[in-house]
Amino acid sequence: MTSGNGTQVQGRTRIQARNRDAILTAGLDVFSQHGFRGSTLDQIAAGAGLSKPNLLYYFPSKEAIYTALLEGLLETWLDPLRDLDPKGDPLTELLSYMRRKLAMSRDYPRESRLFAGEILRGAPEMHDVLKGELKTLVDERAAVISGWAKDGKIAAVDPHHLIFSIWALTQHYADFDVQVRAVLGGTDPFPGAEAHLEQMLESLLRP
Amino acid sequence: MTSGNGTQVQGRTRIQARNRDAILTAGLDVFSQHGFRGSTLDQIAAGAGLSKPNLLYYFPSKEAIYTALLEGLLETWLDPLRDLDPKGDPLTELLSYMRRKLAMSRDYPRESRLFAGEILRGAPEMHDVLKGELKTLVDERAAVISGWAKDGKIAAVDPHHLIFSIWALTQHYADFDVQVRAVLGGTDPFPGAEAHLEQMLESLLRP
DNA sequence: GAATTGTTTGACCAATTGGTCAAAGCCACG
DNA sequence: CGTGGCTTTGACCAATTGGTCAAACAATTC
């Protein structure tokens, strides 16, 4: 049986793999909804179908579950930006980056909210990663975008703020989901969002 | 002595006004940083310079402080959208709406984060307001924007998603502040953000 | 099938935390 | 200055919660 979600689960035995996976899945559910301090081991244990001491047989502490989730998440989270192809067509590349990020908001809202909660609280667990791995990758891709702009392939834009904009616009539909849906009523926000964000990016980047 | 922050504080005596104000200010500090469940009465009491039982003399419960903050916040939060003038110049109106929202992210990041945290957790305390007051106001202003588009004064855009975009883009700089600063290094994000968001809106709305 | 290793749990603990309460302190006003 | 109402607090409580531990229970190996 393979891991039910996308999270990497190592473990010697089958039982270990299954239970670690169940714990991480339940942890994602609970942490993303209530934040770290608002979540309890009992909630996670119940969600995973285990007893609390049994949880602590697989993870040494509540924090360990939380950090395991965050670490497992980061790679997935950065993949779309990593895949931005410097040799591709600029507008196509940036549009498909935006579309992938929006699809992640639609398909993995819990992951987005977990991340958002961590950043909101000042990223106590991720400060180093943000200033290290994340900054490096963003600076790198910003340079690519800058190059495109200098070559006149897209309009002159601030590449860092362009990336922030894509993050903000796409993640908003996961993180502020209740608000968006409250305002929109019964309509599914995502088709409209995609069309609107395409229009926005295209008009901005047109040289 | 007037209320130190923008929050409305009623109270018969001077002492009441001062202490309720101190509690709300401390509550904003603590709640915006740790969320509702992550905050303790002791933290708030310490921040306000009062004892815990004394806190509970002014507010009946922890939740009461939290909801008092949220209620006091909402009006301030919606003011810029409310001030959107149907008779003004469309581009000017929308640009200055964006600028005011961005300024609020710069000047009142705690308020933005408090709000963001509440929405992230599913808005347990604000669901009604979102579907009522907020939806009504947004629908109304969306109609105004729709009118502008039909008159050819701005490009044809989805007015609801345009409003969401302005929220997302501006609040991002308060809510994800640590991330933005981690990536940007020492630079102040706001000047660059304002220029970039102006460029974005102008190119989008150009008829 | 006995021994070893891996897994699960009930009972328990100390710390934290939201909230209570009666008594004490303080203040204004007659 | 003394009385009555407002304000403050120390002591306390019950519930919650992260975490421990020894013992019971399964699984695997020889």
Side-chain angles (χ1 to χ4, degrees):
Chain A
M1 185 181 291
T2 66
S3 136
N5 60 8
T7 313
Q8 197 79 335
V9 174
Q10 77 276 53
R12 299 255 159 246
T13 76
R14 249 121 315 150
I15 291 181
Q16 269 180 30
R18 172 169 47 84
N19 283 347
R20 286 184 64 97
D21 188 38
I23 291 169
L24 288 176
T25 301
L28 177 60
D29 255 344
V30 176
F31 282 134
S32 69
Q33 200 167 8
H34 305 290
F36 177 71
R37 300 197 54 181
S39 303
T40 72
L41 286 178
D42 290 291
Q43 289 173 330
I44 301 174
L50 299 173
S51 67
K52 184 169 63 171
N54 206 5
L55 266 204
L56 294 163
Y57 173 73
Y58 290 99
F59 289 88
S61 68
K62 180 183 171 185
E63 206 183 345
I65 305 177
Y66 185 70
T67 56
L69 276 170
L70 282 184
E71 279 165 25
L73 216 63
L74 191 77
E75 292 167 42
T76 317
W77 220 239
L78 292 185
D79 271 348
L81 186 55
R82 210 173 266 125
D83 291 351
L84 199 82
D85 182 5
K87 286 169 288 188
D89 173 62
L91 186 60
T92 310
E93 287 298 317
L94 288 167
L95 275 175
S96 78
Y97 174 53
M98 179 275 287
R99 281 193 205 101
R100 273 184 74 180
K101 287 288 290 174
L102 186 64
M104 286 173 73
S105 279
R106 188 203 326 121
D107 301 333
Y108 305 102
R110 293 173 307 177
E111 283 83 346
S112 185
R113 278 180 220 128
L114 184 73
F115 196 79
E118 169 69 10
I119 305 290
L120 240 196
R121 305 286 166 247
E125 221 78 44
M126 298 194 75
H127 222 228
D128 305 337
V129 187
L130 298 186
K131 298 210 290 189
E133 203 176 336
L134 177 70
K135 178 177 169 45
T136 305
L137 176 63
V138 171
D139 284 343
E140 210 176 288
R141 300 296 135 165
V144 170
I145 296 173
S146 250
W148 287 340
K150 274 194 193 99
D151 295 349
K153 295 179 176 171
I154 56 172
V157 290
D158 183 316
H160 285 96
H161 287 284
L162 173 63
I163 291 171
F164 295 154
S165 292
I166 294 175
W167 291 348
L169 290 164
T170 55
Q171 291 172 13
H172 186 81
Y173 287 95
D175 304 341
F176 289 73
D177 181 74
V178 260
Q179 193 185 49
V180 167
R181 285 180 200 274
V183 168
L184 248 39
T187 329
D188 176 11
F190 285 96
E194 181 162 344
H196 178 255
L197 298 191
E198 283 168 3
Q199 183 185 356
M200 232 176 153
L201 268 191
E202 278 170 8
S203 63
L204 172 69
L205 297 174
R206 195 177 303 128
Chain B
M1 186 183 287
T2 66
S3 136
N5 62 7
T7 312
Q8 198 76 336
V9 175
Q10 79 276 51
R12 298 256 158 248
T13 76
R14 247 121 318 150
I15 291 180
Q16 269 181 32
R18 172 169 46 86
N19 283 347
R20 285 183 65 98
D21 188 36
I23 292 169
L24 288 176
T25 301
L28 177 60
D29 256 343
V30 175
F31 282 134
S32 70
Q33 201 169 4
H34 305 289
F36 178 71
R37 300 197 55 182
S39 304
T40 73
L41 287 178
D42 290 291
Q43 290 173 328
I44 302 175
L50 299 174
S51 69
K52 185 170 62 172
N54 205 6
L55 266 203
L56 294 164
Y57 173 73
Y58 290 100
F59 289 87
S61 68
K62 179 184 171 184
E63 207 182 345
I65 306 177
Y66 185 71
T67 56
L69 276 171
L70 281 184
E71 280 167 23
L73 216 64
L74 192 77
E75 292 167 42
T76 317
W77 220 240
L78 291 184
D79 271 347
L81 186 56
R82 210 173 265 125
D83 291 352
L84 199 83
D85 183 4
K87 286 169 289 188
D89 172 63
L91 186 60
T92 311
E93 287 298 317
L94 288 166
L95 275 175
S96 77
Y97 174 53
M98 179 276 284
R99 282 193 204 102
R100 273 184 72 180
K101 288 288 289 174
L102 186 64
M104 286 173 72
S105 279
R106 189 204 323 121
D107 300 333
Y108 306 102
R110 292 173 308 176
E111 282 83 347
S112 185
R113 277 180 221 129
L114 183 74
F115 196 80
E118 169 69 11
I119 306 291
L120 241 197
R121 305 287 165 247
E125 220 78 43
M126 299 195 74
H127 221 228
D128 305 337
V129 188
L130 298 186
K131 297 209 291 189
E133 204 178 335
L134 177 71
K135 178 177 167 47
T136 305
L137 177 63
V138 171
D139 283 344
E140 211 176 287
R141 301 295 136 165
V144 171
I145 296 173
S146 251
W148 287 339
K150 274 194 193 101
D151 294 350
K153 294 179 177 171
I154 56 172
V157 291
D158 183 316
H160 285 97
H161 287 284
L162 173 63
I163 292 172
F164 295 154
S165 292
I166 294 175
W167 290 349
L169 291 165
T170 55
Q171 290 172 13
H172 186 82
Y173 288 95
D175 304 341
F176 289 73
D177 181 74
V178 259
Q179 193 184 50
V180 168
R181 285 181 200 273
V183 169
L184 248 40
T187 329
D188 177 12
F190 285 96
E194 182 163 342
H196 178 255
L197 297 191
E198 283 168 2
Q199 182 185 356
M200 229 174 157
L201 268 190
E202 277 169 8
S203 64
L204 172 69
L205 296 174
R206 195 177 304 129

Coordinates of all heavy atoms in Angstrom, one line a residue, chain A residues 13 15-16 19 37 50-51 53-54 57-58, chain C residues 6-13 16-18:
Chain A
T13 N 9.2 -0.9 8.9 CA 8.1 -1.9 8.7 C 6.9 -1.3 8.0 O 6.8 -0.1 7.9 CB 7.7 -2.5 10.0 OG1 6.8 -1.5 10.7 CG2 8.8 -2.8 10.9
I15 N 3.9 -1.5 9.1 CA 3.1 -0.8 10.2 C 3.6 0.6 10.4 O 2.8 1.5 10.5 CB 3.2 -1.7 11.5 CG1 2.4 -3.0 11.3 CG2 2.6 -0.9 12.6 CD1 2.4 -3.8 12.5
Q16 N 4.9 0.7 10.5 CA 5.5 2.1 10.7 C 5.1 3.0 9.6 O 4.6 4.1 9.8 CB 7.0 2.0 10.8 CG 7.5 1.8 12.2 CD 9.0 1.7 12.2 OE1 9.7 2.3 11.4 NE2 9.5 1.0 13.2
N19 N 1.3 3.9 9.8 CA 1.0 4.8 11.0 C 1.6 6.2 10.9 O 0.9 7.2 11.2 CB 1.4 4.1 12.3 CG 0.4 3.0 12.6 OD1 -0.7 2.9 12.1 ND2 0.7 2.2 13.6
R37 N -0.5 25.9 18.0 CA -0.9 25.9 19.4 C -2.3 25.6 19.6 O -2.7 25.2 20.7 CB -0.6 27.3 20.0 CG 0.9 27.6 19.8 CD 1.3 28.7 20.7 NE 1.0 28.5 22.1 CZ 1.2 29.4 23.1 NH1 1.8 30.5 22.8 NH2 0.9 29.1 24.4
L50 N -5.4 6.4 16.4 CA -4.4 5.8 17.3 C -4.6 6.5 18.7 O -5.3 7.5 18.8 CB -3.0 6.2 16.8 CG -2.6 5.6 15.4 CD1 -1.2 6.2 15.1 CD2 -2.5 4.1 15.5
S51 N -4.0 5.8 19.7 CA -4.0 6.4 21.0 C -2.9 7.5 21.1 O -1.9 7.4 20.4 CB -3.8 5.4 22.1 OG -2.5 4.8 22.0
P53 N -0.5 8.0 23.4 CA 0.8 7.4 23.6 C 1.4 6.7 22.4 O 2.6 6.7 22.2 CB 0.6 6.4 24.8 CG -0.6 6.8 25.5 CD -1.5 7.4 24.4
N54 N 0.5 6.2 21.6 CA 1.0 5.6 20.4 C 1.5 6.6 19.4 O 2.5 6.3 18.7 CB -0.2 4.7 19.8 CG 0.3 3.6 18.9 OD1 1.5 3.4 18.9 ND2 -0.5 2.9 18.3
Y57 N 4.9 7.3 20.2 CA 5.8 6.2 19.9 C 6.5 6.5 18.5 O 7.6 6.2 18.2 CB 5.1 4.9 19.9 CG 5.9 3.7 19.4 CD1 7.0 3.2 20.2 CD2 5.7 3.1 18.2 CE1 7.7 2.1 19.8 CE2 6.4 2.0 17.7 CZ 7.4 1.5 18.5 OH 8.2 0.5 18.1
Y58 N 5.7 7.1 17.6 CA 6.2 7.4 16.3 C 6.9 8.7 16.1 O 7.7 8.9 15.3 CB 5.0 7.2 15.3 CG 4.6 5.8 15.1 CD1 3.5 5.3 15.8 CD2 5.3 4.9 14.4 CE1 3.0 4.0 15.7 CE2 4.9 3.6 14.2 CZ 3.8 3.1 14.9 OH 3.4 1.8 14.8
Chain C
dG6 P 13.4 -4.0 17.0 OP1 14.0 -3.5 15.8 OP2 13.7 -3.4 18.3 O5' 11.8 -3.9 16.8 C5' 11.2 -4.5 15.6 C4' 9.7 -4.4 15.8 O4' 9.3 -5.1 17.0 C3' 9.2 -3.0 15.8 O3' 8.0 -2.9 15.0 C2' 8.8 -2.8 17.3 C1' 8.4 -4.2 17.7 N9 8.5 -4.6 19.1 C8 9.7 -4.5 19.9 N7 9.5 -4.9 21.1 C5 8.1 -5.2 21.2 C6 7.3 -5.7 22.2 O6 7.6 -6.0 23.4 N1 6.0 -5.9 21.8 C2 5.5 -5.6 20.6 N2 4.2 -5.8 20.4 N3 6.2 -5.2 19.6 C4 7.5 -5.0 19.9
dT7 P 7.3 -1.5 14.9 OP1 6.7 -1.4 13.5 OP2 8.2 -0.4 15.3 O5' 6.1 -1.6 15.9 C5' 5.0 -2.6 15.6 C4' 3.9 -2.5 16.6 O4' 4.5 -2.8 18.0 C3' 3.3 -1.1 16.8 O3' 1.9 -1.3 16.5 C2' 3.5 -0.8 18.3 C1' 3.7 -2.1 18.9 N1 4.6 -2.2 20.2 C2 4.0 -2.6 21.3 O2 2.8 -3.0 21.4 N3 4.9 -2.7 22.4 C4 6.2 -2.3 22.4 O4 6.9 -2.4 23.4 C5 6.7 -1.9 21.2 C7 8.2 -1.5 21.1 C6 5.9 -1.8 20.1
dT8 P 0.9 -0.1 16.5 OP1 -0.2 -0.5 15.6 OP2 1.6 1.1 16.4 O5' 0.3 -0.2 18.0 C5' -0.5 -1.4 18.4 C4' -0.9 -1.2 19.8 O4' 0.2 -1.3 20.7 C3' -1.6 0.1 20.2 O3' -3.0 -0.2 20.5 C2' -0.8 0.7 21.4 C1' -0.1 -0.6 21.9 N1 1.3 -0.3 22.5 C2 1.5 -0.7 23.8 O2 0.7 -1.3 24.5 N3 2.8 -0.4 24.3 C4 3.8 0.2 23.6 O4 4.9 0.4 24.1 C5 3.4 0.7 22.3 C7 4.5 1.4 21.5 C6 2.2 0.4 21.8
dT9 P -3.9 1.0 20.8 OP1 -5.3 0.6 20.4 OP2 -3.4 2.3 20.3 O5' -3.9 1.1 22.4 C5' -4.1 -0.1 23.1 C4' -3.9 0.1 24.6 O4' -2.5 0.2 24.8 C3' -4.5 1.4 25.2 O3' -5.3 1.0 26.3 C2' -3.3 2.2 25.6 C1' -2.3 1.1 25.9 N1 -0.9 1.6 25.8 C2 0.0 1.3 26.8 O2 -0.3 0.7 27.8 N3 1.3 1.8 26.6 C4 1.7 2.5 25.5 O4 2.9 2.9 25.5 C5 0.8 2.8 24.5 C7 1.2 3.6 23.3 C6 -0.5 2.3 24.7
dG10 P -6.6 1.8 26.6 OP1 -7.7 1.0 26.1 OP2 -6.5 3.2 26.2 O5' -6.6 1.7 28.2 C5' -6.2 0.4 28.8 C4' -5.7 0.7 30.2 O4' -4.3 1.1 30.1 C3' -6.4 1.8 31.0 O3' -6.5 1.4 32.4 C2' -5.6 3.0 30.8 C1' -4.2 2.4 30.7 N9 -3.3 3.2 29.8 C8 -3.6 3.8 28.6 N7 -2.6 4.3 28.0 C5 -1.5 4.1 28.8 C6 -0.2 4.5 28.7 O6 0.4 5.1 27.8 N1 0.6 4.0 29.8 C2 0.1 3.3 30.8 N2 1.0 2.9 31.7 N3 -1.1 2.9 31.0 C4 -1.9 3.4 29.9
dA11 P -7.2 2.3 33.4 OP1 -7.9 1.4 34.4 OP2 -8.0 3.4 32.7 O5' -6.0 3.0 34.2 C5' -4.9 2.1 34.5 C4' -3.8 3.0 35.1 O4' -3.0 3.6 34.1 C3' -4.3 4.2 36.0 O3' -3.6 4.2 37.2 C2' -4.0 5.4 35.1 C1' -2.8 5.0 34.3 N9 -2.6 5.6 33.0 C8 -3.6 5.9 32.1 N7 -3.2 6.5 31.0 C5 -1.8 6.7 31.3 C6 -0.8 7.2 30.5 N6 -0.9 7.8 29.3 N1 0.5 7.2 31.0 C2 0.7 6.6 32.2 N3 -0.2 6.1 33.0 C4 -1.4 6.1 32.5
dC12 P -3.9 5.3 38.3 OP1 -3.6 4.7 39.6 OP2 -5.2 5.9 38.0 O5' -2.8 6.4 38.0 C5' -1.4 6.0 37.8 C4' -0.6 7.1 37.3 O4' -0.9 7.4 35.9 C3' -0.8 8.5 38.0 O3' 0.3 8.7 38.8 C2' -1.0 9.5 36.9 C1' -0.5 8.7 35.7 N1 -1.2 9.1 34.4 C2 -0.4 9.7 33.4 O2 0.8 9.8 33.6 N3 -1.0 10.1 32.2 C4 -2.3 9.9 32.1 N4 -2.8 10.3 30.9 C5 -3.1 9.3 33.1 C6 -2.5 9.0 34.2
dC13 P 0.3 10.0 39.8 OP1 1.0 9.6 41.0 OP2 -1.1 10.5 40.0 O5' 1.1 11.1 39.0 C5' 2.3 10.7 38.3 C4' 2.9 11.9 37.7 O4' 2.3 12.1 36.4 C3' 2.6 13.2 38.4 O3' 3.8 13.9 38.7 C2' 1.6 14.0 37.5 C1' 1.9 13.4 36.1 N1 0.8 13.4 35.2 C2 0.9 14.0 33.9 O2 2.0 14.5 33.6 N3 -0.2 14.0 33.1 C4 -1.3 13.4 33.5 N4 -2.3 13.4 32.6 C5 -1.4 12.8 34.8 C6 -0.4 12.8 35.6
dT16 P 4.4 26.0 33.2 OP1 5.4 26.5 32.3 OP2 4.3 26.4 34.6 O5' 3.0 26.1 32.5 C5' 2.7 25.3 31.3 C4' 1.3 25.6 30.8 O4' 0.4 24.8 31.7 C3' 0.8 27.0 30.9 O3' 0.3 27.3 29.6 C2' -0.3 27.0 32.0 C1' -0.7 25.6 31.9 N1 -1.4 25.0 33.2 C2 -2.6 24.4 33.1 O2 -3.2 24.3 32.0 N3 -3.1 23.8 34.3 C4 -2.4 23.9 35.5 O4 -2.9 23.4 36.5 C5 -1.1 24.5 35.5 C7 -0.4 24.6 36.8 C6 -0.7 25.0 34.4
dT17 P -0.1 28.8 29.2 OP1 0.1 28.9 27.7 OP2 0.6 29.7 30.1 O5' -1.6 28.8 29.5 C5' -2.4 27.7 29.0 C4' -3.9 27.9 29.5 O4' -4.0 27.2 30.8 C3' -4.3 29.3 29.8 O3' -5.5 29.6 29.2 C2' -4.4 29.4 31.3 C1' -4.8 28.0 31.6 N1 -4.6 27.6 33.0 C2 -5.5 26.8 33.6 O2 -6.5 26.4 33.0 N3 -5.2 26.4 34.9 C4 -4.1 26.8 35.6 O4 -4.0 26.4 36.8 C5 -3.2 27.6 34.9 C7 -1.9 28.1 35.6 C6 -3.5 28.0 33.7
dG18 P -5.9 31.1 28.7 OP1 -5.8 31.2 27.3 OP2 -5.3 32.1 29.6 O5' -7.5 31.1 29.1 C5' -8.3 30.1 28.5 C4' -9.5 29.9 29.3 O4' -9.1 29.3 30.6 C3' -10.3 31.2 29.7 O3' -11.7 31.0 29.6 C2' -9.8 31.5 31.1 C1' -9.6 30.1 31.7 N9 -8.6 30.1 32.7 C8 -7.3 30.7 32.7 N7 -6.6 30.5 33.8 C5 -7.4 29.7 34.6 C6 -7.2 29.1 35.9 O6 -6.2 29.2 36.6 N1 -8.3 28.4 36.3 C2 -9.5 28.2 35.6 N2 -10.4 27.5 36.2 N3 -9.7 28.7 34.4 C4 -8.6 29.4 33.9

